[in-house]
Amino acid sequence: MNKKWAVKRITINLASTESEKLEKYCASTGRPATDVIRELIRSLSITELSASEQTTLFLIKN
């Protein structure tokens, strides 16, 4: 199977309200949660992140 990108599986913990909001959005758009979350991550601008957030991203990557 040829993949476009290397796959890294992550688990996120959501509050029930966040989970419901994501589920409703996905249902209304017909898009899977994975695609929605991936698009949101791609839209992030690293230069806009605080030093704390950049440290967190660094720790997650490594």
Side-chain angles (χ1 to χ4, degrees), residues 41-52:
I41 291 170
R42 288 177 181 158
S43 72
L44 294 174
S45 173
I46 298 299
T47 57
E48 294 177 11
L49 297 179
S50 69
S52 168

Side-chain angles (χ1 to χ4, degrees), residues 9-28:
R9 186 172 301 258
I10 63 169
T11 301
I12 59 171
N13 298 315
L14 300 174
S16 59
T17 55
E18 295 167 334
S19 178
E20 290 169 9
K21 187 172 187 177
L22 179 60
E23 288 173 11
K24 287 178 183 177
Y25 181 83
C26 292
S28 70

